[in-house]
Amino acid sequence: MKTALVTGSAGFVGRHMAAELTARGWAVDGVDLNGHTRQDALDLFRTDITRYDLVVHCAARTPHRAAIDRQPATMAYNLHLDAAMFDWVLRTGQKRVLYLSSSAVYPVGFQDGSEPWKLHETNTDSAHGIMPDAGYGWTKLTGEKMAAAATEDGVGLAVHVVRPFSGYGEDQGEDWPFGAFVGRARRREDPFQIWGDGQQVRDWIHISDVVAGALAVVDQDVREPVNLCTGRGVAMTQLAELVVTTVGYQPWVEYLPHAPRGVAYRVGDTARFFDVYQPKVTLEEGVARAVRPGVGV
C-alpha cells in the first residue's frame, strides 16, 4: 500500500486531498494544529523519520485575503514552515513532494485589469519584473525556489509544484469569498455585502478539480509548475448574483470599498494544465452543490 503525508490536513485543501488519497487506497497520515492530532508540522519535521511515497505540503497560516493584507507577520511563519519541510524531506530521504503554491506568485502588474491577461506559468520569470501579491505571494515564490534547489543535489527527489487559483467548495469557510457568499445567501442577508467594488475577476475552480488536477500532475510526473485553473474569469458581483439567484432571493448589494479586495483580474492560462487534466465541475454546478443544503433555511 502506498503511503502519504498531508500537512495542513484539517485545512480546506488538505482535508480534501487526504480524503481523495484515502479513497484511492493510500494509507494517509495527516498533521495539522487544528486536526485530530493537534500536532504542529514543525514538530514533526524536527523529530519524525518516517519515509512516505508522497508528501503533500498544504500547510500554511491563514492564506486568505484579510490575513494577506492585514497580518503580514504570517509571512515569517510560512517561510519557516516551508524551509523546515524541505530540510526534513532531504534529511529523511523522501522521494516525492507535491508542493501547493499559489496564483499569488504572479506579478501584480499583469493583474491590474487594463487587459484580460491570462497568467502563464512562465510569467514569474525575472524578465517580467517580479512583484508577487503581497507577502503571501513572496512566500510561495520563495517556496518554489526552495523546491527547485532541493532537486539540484542529485538525491533523486521529485517535486511537483501546482498553483491553485480561486479554489472553492461546499465546505469552504467564510474567510474566503465563495464561502462567505454562500453563508450570506443561506442566511438571506439583505443587504448582501461584497468587499471592494465587486469588479474583481477571479478564476474559480472546484476543490475536487484542484485535488484531482494536482494528483494528475503527480501521476504524470510533471516537473514544471502547473496552474490549477479553468481559464474562465468571473467577477465577484457575478458570483454573488449566481449564488443569490440559485438560493432564490434578490437582496440589495452593499459594496465595501475599504475592505481588502486584492488584484483586479486574476485568470490562469490553461494550456499546461489541460494537457494533464480537464476540470469537471462548472461554477454553476459548484454553486448549486454549495447552496442546496441551505435552501429554505
Side-chain angles (χ1 to χ4, degrees), residues 29-30 36 39 41 74 76 83 137 162 168 189 194 201 228 237 244 275 287:
D29 288 340
H36 69 276
Q39 183 181 9
T74 60
V162 292
Y168 72 94
E189 292 186 7
I194 298 177
V201 173
L228 304 182
T237 294
V244 298
D275 280 343
V287 168

Side-chain angles (χ1 to χ4, degrees), residues 180-181 184 189-195 240 251-256:
F181 285 5
R184 290 167 195 163
E189 292 186 7
D190 192 353
F192 188 102
Q193 293 185 337
I194 298 177
W195 290 8
W252 175 67
V253 175
E254 177 185 10
Y255 296 101
L256 304 179

Side-chain angles (χ1 to χ4, degrees), residues 14-290:
R15 63 178 177 265
H16 284 272
M17 186 69 70
E20 178 60 23
L21 286 168
T22 300
R24 294 184 183 194
W26 290 60
V28 179
D29 288 340
V31 59
D32 196 301
L33 278 170
N34 298 313
H36 69 276
T37 63
R38 299 285 180 178
Q39 183 181 9
D40 191 335
L42 289 172
D43 292 333
L44 180 144
F45 297 148
R46 293 185 190 102
T47 61
D48 198 278
I49 58 172
T50 306
R51 295 181 67 179
Y52 295 91
D53 294 304
L54 176 65
V55 175
V56 184
H57 187 51
C58 303
R61 180 177 287 174
T62 55
H64 52 77
R65 189 75 249 171
I68 289 170
D69 287 357
R70 293 174 174 171
Q71 300 176 31
T74 60
M75 179 181 180
Y77 177 86
N78 288 332
L79 282 171
H80 180 38
L81 185 63
D82 286 358
M85 186 276 295
F86 281 113
D87 178 71
W88 171 79
V89 162
L90 293 173
R91 189 176 70 252
T92 57
Q94 308 296 327
K95 292 301 182 183
R96 192 172 297 275
V97 174
L98 173 58
Y99 179 73
L100 273 291
S101 184
S102 170
S103 57
V105 300
Y106 289 111
V108 293
F110 288 137
Q111 304 173 69
D112 63 6
S114 58
E115 60 177 302
W117 186 286
K118 290 193 175 182
L119 298 159
H120 189 271
E121 287 86 352
T122 58
N123 289 152
T124 59
D125 294 345
S126 59
H128 292 97
I130 297 173
M131 184 56 69
D133 187 359
Y136 186 70
W138 279 113
T139 299
K140 287 300 184 181
L141 190 60
T142 304
E144 292 190 15
K145 298 298 184 184
M146 294 181 198
T151 63
E152 291 175 355
D153 59 5
V155 298
L157 174 66
V159 180
H160 310 282
V161 174
V162 292
R163 298 171 180 163
F165 278 64
S166 294
Y168 72 94
E170 298 89 302
D171 60 339
Q172 190 172 43
E174 294 193 28
D175 285 328
W176 284 263
F178 184 89
F181 285 5
V182 168
R184 290 167 195 163
R186 286 177 175 173
R187 294 187 294 270
R188 295 180 176 264
E189 292 186 7
D190 192 353
F192 188 102
Q193 293 185 337
I194 298 177
W195 290 8
D197 61 7
Q199 299 308 304
Q200 314 95 292
V201 173
R202 296 292 182 268
D203 189 329
W204 306 94
I205 177 167
H206 193 268
I207 186 60
S208 62
D209 288 320
V210 169
V211 170
L215 293 178
V217 168
V218 174
D219 291 342
Q220 297 182 40
D221 198 28
V222 180
R223 303 290 182 93
E224 55 190 357
V226 178
N227 289 337
L228 304 182
C229 62
T230 68
R232 176 188 177 188
V234 177
M236 294 291 179
T237 294
Q238 292 175 299
L239 175 62
E241 290 174 351
L242 177 59
V243 170
V244 298
T245 299
T246 304
V247 168
Y249 83 118
Q250 291 299 318
W252 175 67
V253 175
E254 177 185 10
Y255 296 101
L256 304 179
H258 299 298
R261 66 183 300 277
V263 296
Y265 190 94
R266 178 173 292 165
V267 179
D269 184 295
T270 61
R272 190 176 288 181
F273 184 38
F274 282 12
D275 280 343
V276 177
Y277 178 83
Q278 295 280 335
K280 306 297 190 296
V281 182
T282 66
L283 182 58
E284 289 75 12
E285 181 182 348
V287 168
R289 290 185 188 182

